[in-house]
Amino acid sequence: MIKKVLTWLGIAFLIFFIAFNPRAAAAVFESLGGTIADIARGFGTFFTDLVA
């Protein structure tokens, strides 16, 4: 029950954050996307070097 409430509160916070501060929200998501891309690139390099 608590997990469900916390999930809905998190979703509500995200909607509020995006609605009232879209530029900051975009910057946060851009940063997260860049970080995920860097991690994926690092794994790719690691496995390429591992089999080469």
Side-chain angles (χ1 to χ4, degrees):
M1 179 68 180
I2 290 180
K3 183 178 177 182
K4 191 174 187 178
V5 171
L6 290 177
T7 300
W8 281 110
L9 285 174
I11 291 170
F13 175 74
L14 284 175
I15 292 170
F16 177 81
F17 183 58
I18 291 169
F20 288 100
N21 204 349
R23 289 186 184 192
V28 168
F29 283 105
E30 183 180 353
S31 176
L32 287 173
T35 301
I36 292 170
D38 289 341
I39 290 170
R41 200 172 302 116
F43 274 109
T45 302
F46 170 75
F47 286 113
T48 300
D49 292 344
L50 187 65
V51 296

Short mmCIF file of all heavy atoms in Angstrom, two decimals:
data_model
loop_
_atom_site.label_atom_id
_atom_site.label_comp_id
_atom_site.label_asym_id
_atom_site.label_seq_id
_atom_site.Cartn_x
_atom_site.Cartn_y
_atom_site.Cartn_z
N MET A 1 0.82 -1.20 0.00
CA MET A 1 0.00 0.00 0.00
C MET A 1 0.87 1.26 0.00
O MET A 1 0.62 2.17 -0.77
CB MET A 1 -0.92 -0.04 1.22
CG MET A 1 -1.80 1.16 1.35
SD MET A 1 -3.02 1.20 0.05
CE MET A 1 -3.87 2.66 0.46
N ILE A 2 1.89 1.29 0.85
CA ILE A 2 2.76 2.47 0.93
C ILE A 2 3.53 2.64 -0.37
O ILE A 2 3.71 3.77 -0.84
CB ILE A 2 3.71 2.35 2.15
CG1 ILE A 2 2.90 2.51 3.42
CG2 ILE A 2 4.80 3.39 2.08
CD1 ILE A 2 3.70 2.41 4.69
N LYS A 3 3.96 1.53 -0.97
CA LYS A 3 4.69 1.61 -2.23
C LYS A 3 3.82 2.26 -3.32
O LYS A 3 4.31 3.08 -4.09
CB LYS A 3 5.12 0.21 -2.66
CG LYS A 3 5.95 0.20 -3.91
CD LYS A 3 6.39 -1.21 -4.26
CE LYS A 3 7.17 -1.22 -5.55
NZ LYS A 3 7.57 -2.57 -5.94
N LYS A 4 2.56 1.90 -3.35
CA LYS A 4 1.64 2.46 -4.33
C LYS A 4 1.45 3.96 -4.11
O LYS A 4 1.48 4.75 -5.07
CB LYS A 4 0.30 1.74 -4.24
CG LYS A 4 -0.65 2.04 -5.35
CD LYS A 4 -1.88 1.15 -5.24
CE LYS A 4 -2.77 1.31 -6.44
NZ LYS A 4 -3.94 0.44 -6.38
N VAL A 5 1.31 4.37 -2.86
CA VAL A 5 1.15 5.79 -2.53
C VAL A 5 2.40 6.57 -2.91
O VAL A 5 2.32 7.64 -3.52
CB VAL A 5 0.81 5.97 -1.04
CG1 VAL A 5 0.86 7.44 -0.64
CG2 VAL A 5 -0.54 5.38 -0.72
N LEU A 6 3.56 6.03 -2.58
CA LEU A 6 4.82 6.71 -2.92
C LEU A 6 5.02 6.81 -4.42
O LEU A 6 5.53 7.81 -4.93
CB LEU A 6 6.00 5.99 -2.26
CG LEU A 6 6.08 6.13 -0.74
CD1 LEU A 6 7.25 5.30 -0.20
CD2 LEU A 6 6.22 7.58 -0.33
N THR A 7 4.61 5.78 -5.14
CA THR A 7 4.71 5.81 -6.60
C THR A 7 3.85 6.93 -7.17
O THR A 7 4.31 7.72 -8.01
CB THR A 7 4.28 4.46 -7.20
OG1 THR A 7 5.14 3.44 -6.70
CG2 THR A 7 4.36 4.49 -8.72
N TRP A 8 2.61 7.04 -6.69
CA TRP A 8 1.71 8.09 -7.18
C TRP A 8 2.20 9.47 -6.77
O TRP A 8 2.08 10.44 -7.54
CB TRP A 8 0.28 7.85 -6.71
CG TRP A 8 -0.39 6.80 -7.53
CD1 TRP A 8 -0.74 5.55 -7.14
CD2 TRP A 8 -0.77 6.90 -8.91
NE1 TRP A 8 -1.30 4.86 -8.19
CE2 TRP A 8 -1.34 5.67 -9.29
CE3 TRP A 8 -0.68 7.91 -9.87
CZ2 TRP A 8 -1.83 5.42 -10.56
CZ3 TRP A 8 -1.15 7.66 -11.14
CH2 TRP A 8 -1.72 6.44 -11.48
N LEU A 9 2.77 9.60 -5.59
CA LEU A 9 3.33 10.89 -5.18
C LEU A 9 4.52 11.27 -6.06
O LEU A 9 4.69 12.44 -6.41
CB LEU A 9 3.75 10.84 -3.71
CG LEU A 9 2.62 10.91 -2.70
CD1 LEU A 9 3.16 10.70 -1.28
CD2 LEU A 9 1.88 12.22 -2.80
N GLY A 10 5.35 10.29 -6.41
CA GLY A 10 6.48 10.55 -7.30
C GLY A 10 6.03 11.00 -8.68
O GLY A 10 6.58 11.95 -9.25
N ILE A 11 5.00 10.35 -9.20
CA ILE A 11 4.47 10.73 -10.51
C ILE A 11 3.87 12.14 -10.45
O ILE A 11 4.09 12.95 -11.35
CB ILE A 11 3.43 9.69 -10.98
CG1 ILE A 11 4.13 8.37 -11.31
CG2 ILE A 11 2.64 10.20 -12.19
CD1 ILE A 11 3.20 7.21 -11.55
N ALA A 12 3.14 12.42 -9.37
CA ALA A 12 2.56 13.75 -9.21
C ALA A 12 3.65 14.82 -9.12
O ALA A 12 3.52 15.90 -9.71
CB ALA A 12 1.68 13.79 -7.97
N PHE A 13 4.74 14.52 -8.41
CA PHE A 13 5.84 15.47 -8.31
C PHE A 13 6.47 15.71 -9.67
O PHE A 13 6.78 16.85 -10.03
CB PHE A 13 6.89 14.97 -7.31
CG PHE A 13 8.11 15.85 -7.27
CD1 PHE A 13 8.05 17.08 -6.65
CD2 PHE A 13 9.29 15.45 -7.88
CE1 PHE A 13 9.17 17.92 -6.62
CE2 PHE A 13 10.40 16.27 -7.85
CZ PHE A 13 10.34 17.51 -7.22
N LEU A 14 6.68 14.66 -10.46
CA LEU A 14 7.25 14.83 -11.79
C LEU A 14 6.37 15.70 -12.68
O LEU A 14 6.88 16.58 -13.38
CB LEU A 14 7.47 13.46 -12.46
CG LEU A 14 8.65 12.66 -11.96
CD1 LEU A 14 8.67 11.28 -12.62
CD2 LEU A 14 9.94 13.39 -12.24
N ILE A 15 5.07 15.46 -12.64
CA ILE A 15 4.15 16.27 -13.44
C ILE A 15 4.20 17.73 -12.98
O ILE A 15 4.26 18.65 -13.80
CB ILE A 15 2.73 15.70 -13.36
CG1 ILE A 15 2.68 14.35 -14.08
CG2 ILE A 15 1.71 16.67 -13.94
CD1 ILE A 15 1.40 13.58 -13.87
N PHE A 16 4.21 17.95 -11.67
CA PHE A 16 4.28 19.31 -11.13
C PHE A 16 5.59 19.98 -11.55
O PHE A 16 5.59 21.14 -11.99
CB PHE A 16 4.18 19.25 -9.60
CG PHE A 16 4.32 20.58 -8.94
CD1 PHE A 16 3.23 21.45 -8.87
CD2 PHE A 16 5.53 20.98 -8.38
CE1 PHE A 16 3.35 22.69 -8.25
CE2 PHE A 16 5.65 22.21 -7.77
CZ PHE A 16 4.57 23.07 -7.71
N PHE A 17 6.70 19.26 -11.44
CA PHE A 17 8.02 19.80 -11.78
C PHE A 17 8.08 20.18 -13.26
O PHE A 17 8.55 21.25 -13.62
CB PHE A 17 9.09 18.76 -11.43
CG PHE A 17 10.51 19.22 -11.65
CD1 PHE A 17 11.00 20.34 -11.03
CD2 PHE A 17 11.35 18.50 -12.47
CE1 PHE A 17 12.31 20.76 -11.21
CE2 PHE A 17 12.65 18.90 -12.67
CZ PHE A 17 13.14 20.04 -12.05
N ILE A 18 7.59 19.31 -14.11
CA ILE A 18 7.61 19.57 -15.55
C ILE A 18 6.66 20.72 -15.91
O ILE A 18 6.99 21.56 -16.73
CB ILE A 18 7.26 18.29 -16.34
CG1 ILE A 18 8.38 17.26 -16.19
CG2 ILE A 18 7.02 18.60 -17.80
CD1 ILE A 18 8.04 15.88 -16.70
N ALA A 19 5.50 20.78 -15.27
CA ALA A 19 4.52 21.81 -15.60
C ALA A 19 4.95 23.20 -15.16
O ALA A 19 4.74 24.18 -15.88
CB ALA A 19 3.18 21.46 -14.96
N PHE A 20 5.56 23.31 -13.99
CA PHE A 20 5.87 24.63 -13.45
C PHE A 20 7.32 25.06 -13.63
O PHE A 20 7.64 26.22 -13.36
CB PHE A 20 5.49 24.70 -11.96
CG PHE A 20 4.01 24.73 -11.76
CD1 PHE A 20 3.32 23.57 -11.42
CD2 PHE A 20 3.30 25.89 -11.95
CE1 PHE A 20 1.95 23.59 -11.25
CE2 PHE A 20 1.93 25.93 -11.77
CZ PHE A 20 1.25 24.77 -11.43
N ASN A 21 8.17 24.17 -14.06
CA ASN A 21 9.56 24.53 -14.30
C ASN A 21 10.11 23.68 -15.46
O ASN A 21 11.00 22.86 -15.26
CB ASN A 21 10.38 24.30 -13.01
CG ASN A 21 11.61 25.15 -12.98
OD1 ASN A 21 11.98 25.76 -13.98
ND2 ASN A 21 12.27 25.18 -11.84
N PRO A 22 9.58 23.88 -16.67
CA PRO A 22 9.95 22.99 -17.78
C PRO A 22 11.42 23.08 -18.20
O PRO A 22 11.99 22.08 -18.61
CB PRO A 22 9.01 23.41 -18.90
CG PRO A 22 8.54 24.77 -18.55
CD PRO A 22 8.59 24.85 -17.06
N ARG A 23 12.00 24.25 -18.09
CA ARG A 23 13.42 24.37 -18.50
C ARG A 23 14.34 23.58 -17.58
O ARG A 23 15.24 22.89 -18.03
CB ARG A 23 13.84 25.82 -18.56
CG ARG A 23 13.20 26.54 -19.71
CD ARG A 23 13.72 27.93 -19.86
NE ARG A 23 12.96 28.57 -20.94
CZ ARG A 23 13.29 29.70 -21.48
NH1 ARG A 23 14.33 30.36 -21.06
NH2 ARG A 23 12.55 30.21 -22.44
N ALA A 24 14.10 23.68 -16.30
CA ALA A 24 14.92 22.92 -15.35
C ALA A 24 14.67 21.43 -15.52
O ALA A 24 15.60 20.63 -15.44
CB ALA A 24 14.61 23.35 -13.92
N ALA A 25 13.41 21.05 -15.75
CA ALA A 25 13.10 19.64 -15.96
C ALA A 25 13.80 19.12 -17.20
O ALA A 25 14.34 18.00 -17.20
CB ALA A 25 11.59 19.45 -16.08
N ALA A 26 13.82 19.90 -18.26
CA ALA A 26 14.50 19.49 -19.48
C ALA A 26 16.00 19.34 -19.24
O ALA A 26 16.63 18.40 -19.75
CB ALA A 26 14.25 20.50 -20.59
N ALA A 27 16.57 20.24 -18.47
CA ALA A 27 18.00 20.15 -18.16
C ALA A 27 18.32 18.89 -17.36
O ALA A 27 19.32 18.22 -17.61
CB ALA A 27 18.45 21.39 -17.41
N VAL A 28 17.44 18.55 -16.42
CA VAL A 28 17.65 17.34 -15.61
C VAL A 28 17.58 16.11 -16.49
O VAL A 28 18.44 15.23 -16.43
CB VAL A 28 16.61 17.27 -14.47
CG1 VAL A 28 16.62 15.90 -13.82
CG2 VAL A 28 16.88 18.34 -13.44
N PHE A 29 16.57 16.03 -17.35
CA PHE A 29 16.43 14.86 -18.20
C PHE A 29 17.54 14.79 -19.24
O PHE A 29 18.00 13.70 -19.59
CB PHE A 29 15.05 14.85 -18.88
CG PHE A 29 13.96 14.42 -17.96
CD1 PHE A 29 13.07 15.33 -17.44
CD2 PHE A 29 13.84 13.09 -17.59
CE1 PHE A 29 12.07 14.94 -16.57
CE2 PHE A 29 12.85 12.68 -16.72
CZ PHE A 29 11.96 13.61 -16.21
N GLU A 30 18.00 15.93 -19.73
CA GLU A 30 19.13 15.94 -20.67
C GLU A 30 20.39 15.42 -19.99
O GLU A 30 21.15 14.63 -20.56
CB GLU A 30 19.36 17.35 -21.19
CG GLU A 30 20.46 17.46 -22.22
CD GLU A 30 20.65 18.88 -22.72
OE1 GLU A 30 19.85 19.77 -22.38
OE2 GLU A 30 21.62 19.09 -23.46
N SER A 31 20.61 15.83 -18.76
CA SER A 31 21.77 15.37 -18.00
C SER A 31 21.70 13.86 -17.75
O SER A 31 22.69 13.16 -17.91
CB SER A 31 21.85 16.12 -16.67
OG SER A 31 22.89 15.62 -15.89
N LEU A 32 20.52 13.39 -17.37
CA LEU A 32 20.35 11.95 -17.15
C LEU A 32 20.57 11.16 -18.44
O LEU A 32 21.20 10.10 -18.43
CB LEU A 32 18.94 11.65 -16.60
CG LEU A 32 18.69 12.04 -15.17
CD1 LEU A 32 17.23 11.84 -14.82
CD2 LEU A 32 19.57 11.24 -14.23
N GLY A 33 20.05 11.68 -19.55
CA GLY A 33 20.25 11.02 -20.84
C GLY A 33 21.72 10.97 -21.22
O GLY A 33 22.22 9.95 -21.71
N GLY A 34 22.43 12.06 -20.99
CA GLY A 34 23.87 12.08 -21.29
C GLY A 34 24.64 11.10 -20.43
O GLY A 34 25.56 10.42 -20.91
N THR A 35 24.26 11.00 -19.17
CA THR A 35 24.92 10.06 -18.27
C THR A 35 24.67 8.62 -18.70
O THR A 35 25.61 7.81 -18.73
CB THR A 35 24.43 10.26 -16.82
OG1 THR A 35 24.71 11.60 -16.43
CG2 THR A 35 25.09 9.30 -15.87
N ILE A 36 23.44 8.31 -19.06
CA ILE A 36 23.13 6.95 -19.53
C ILE A 36 23.88 6.65 -20.81
O ILE A 36 24.41 5.53 -20.99
CB ILE A 36 21.60 6.80 -19.70
CG1 ILE A 36 20.92 6.83 -18.34
CG2 ILE A 36 21.26 5.51 -20.44
CD1 ILE A 36 19.43 6.93 -18.38
N ALA A 37 23.99 7.61 -21.71
CA ALA A 37 24.73 7.42 -22.96
C ALA A 37 26.21 7.18 -22.67
O ALA A 37 26.85 6.33 -23.30
CB ALA A 37 24.55 8.62 -23.88
N ASP A 38 26.78 7.93 -21.73
CA ASP A 38 28.18 7.74 -21.36
C ASP A 38 28.43 6.35 -20.78
O ASP A 38 29.44 5.71 -21.08
CB ASP A 38 28.63 8.80 -20.36
CG ASP A 38 28.76 10.18 -20.97
OD1 ASP A 38 28.86 10.27 -22.21
OD2 ASP A 38 28.77 11.16 -20.20
N ILE A 39 27.51 5.89 -19.95
CA ILE A 39 27.64 4.55 -19.37
C ILE A 39 27.58 3.49 -20.46
O ILE A 39 28.40 2.56 -20.49
CB ILE A 39 26.56 4.32 -18.30
CG1 ILE A 39 26.84 5.19 -17.08
CG2 ILE A 39 26.48 2.85 -17.90
CD1 ILE A 39 25.71 5.24 -16.07
N ALA A 40 26.63 3.63 -21.38
CA ALA A 40 26.49 2.66 -22.47
C ALA A 40 27.73 2.68 -23.36
O ALA A 40 28.22 1.62 -23.77
CB ALA A 40 25.24 2.98 -23.30
N ARG A 41 28.26 3.85 -23.62
CA ARG A 41 29.48 3.96 -24.43
C ARG A 41 30.66 3.29 -23.73
O ARG A 41 31.47 2.60 -24.34
CB ARG A 41 29.78 5.44 -24.69
CG ARG A 41 30.69 5.68 -25.86
CD ARG A 41 30.80 7.18 -26.21
NE ARG A 41 29.51 7.78 -26.51
CZ ARG A 41 28.94 8.75 -25.79
NH1 ARG A 41 29.55 9.26 -24.74
NH2 ARG A 41 27.76 9.25 -26.13
N GLY A 42 30.74 3.46 -22.41
CA GLY A 42 31.81 2.82 -21.64
C GLY A 42 31.71 1.30 -21.68
O GLY A 42 32.72 0.61 -21.84
N PHE A 43 30.49 0.77 -21.53
CA PHE A 43 30.32 -0.68 -21.64
C PHE A 43 30.70 -1.17 -23.03
O PHE A 43 31.33 -2.22 -23.18
CB PHE A 43 28.86 -1.08 -21.32
CG PHE A 43 28.60 -1.28 -19.87
CD1 PHE A 43 27.84 -0.36 -19.15
CD2 PHE A 43 29.12 -2.37 -19.20
CE1 PHE A 43 27.60 -0.54 -17.81
CE2 PHE A 43 28.87 -2.56 -17.85
CZ PHE A 43 28.12 -1.65 -17.14
N GLY A 44 30.29 -0.43 -24.05
CA GLY A 44 30.64 -0.81 -25.42
C GLY A 44 32.14 -0.85 -25.63
O GLY A 44 32.68 -1.81 -26.23
N THR A 45 32.83 0.15 -25.15
CA THR A 45 34.29 0.19 -25.27
C THR A 45 34.92 -0.97 -24.51
O THR A 45 35.84 -1.62 -25.00
CB THR A 45 34.84 1.53 -24.74
OG1 THR A 45 34.24 2.59 -25.48
CG2 THR A 45 36.34 1.59 -24.88
N PHE A 46 34.43 -1.24 -23.32
CA PHE A 46 34.97 -2.32 -22.51
C PHE A 46 34.84 -3.67 -23.24
O PHE A 46 35.82 -4.41 -23.35
CB PHE A 46 34.24 -2.39 -21.17
CG PHE A 46 34.56 -3.63 -20.36
CD1 PHE A 46 35.76 -3.74 -19.71
CD2 PHE A 46 33.65 -4.67 -20.28
CE1 PHE A 46 36.07 -4.88 -18.97
CE2 PHE A 46 33.94 -5.80 -19.56
CZ PHE A 46 35.15 -5.91 -18.90
N PHE A 47 33.65 -3.96 -23.74
CA PHE A 47 33.45 -5.24 -24.41
C PHE A 47 34.19 -5.32 -25.74
O PHE A 47 34.66 -6.39 -26.13
CB PHE A 47 31.95 -5.55 -24.58
CG PHE A 47 31.30 -5.95 -23.29
CD1 PHE A 47 30.35 -5.14 -22.70
CD2 PHE A 47 31.66 -7.13 -22.65
CE1 PHE A 47 29.74 -5.50 -21.50
CE2 PHE A 47 31.07 -7.51 -21.45
CZ PHE A 47 30.11 -6.69 -20.88
N THR A 48 34.31 -4.19 -26.43
CA THR A 48 35.10 -4.18 -27.68
C THR A 48 36.55 -4.48 -27.38
O THR A 48 37.19 -5.29 -28.07
CB THR A 48 34.98 -2.80 -28.37
OG1 THR A 48 33.61 -2.57 -28.68
CG2 THR A 48 35.81 -2.77 -29.64
N ASP A 49 37.10 -3.86 -26.35
CA ASP A 49 38.50 -4.12 -25.97
C ASP A 49 38.68 -5.52 -25.42
O ASP A 49 39.75 -6.12 -25.55
CB ASP A 49 38.98 -3.09 -24.94
CG ASP A 49 39.10 -1.70 -25.53
OD1 ASP A 49 39.10 -1.58 -26.77
OD2 ASP A 49 39.19 -0.73 -24.75
N LEU A 50 37.65 -6.05 -24.80
CA LEU A 50 37.73 -7.38 -24.21
C LEU A 50 37.85 -8.46 -25.28
O LEU A 50 38.64 -9.39 -25.13
CB LEU A 50 36.48 -7.63 -23.36
CG LEU A 50 36.44 -8.91 -22.53
CD1 LEU A 50 37.52 -8.88 -21.46
CD2 LEU A 50 35.07 -9.08 -21.89
N VAL A 51 37.12 -8.34 -26.37
CA VAL A 51 37.15 -9.38 -27.40
C VAL A 51 38.18 -9.09 -28.50
O VAL A 51 38.45 -9.96 -29.31
CB VAL A 51 35.75 -9.58 -28.05
CG1 VAL A 51 34.77 -10.08 -27.02
CG2 VAL A 51 35.24 -8.30 -28.68
N ALA A 52 38.73 -7.91 -28.52
CA ALA A 52 39.70 -7.57 -29.55
C ALA A 52 41.08 -8.07 -29.22
O ALA A 52 41.48 -8.38 -28.18
CB ALA A 52 39.74 -6.06 -29.76
#
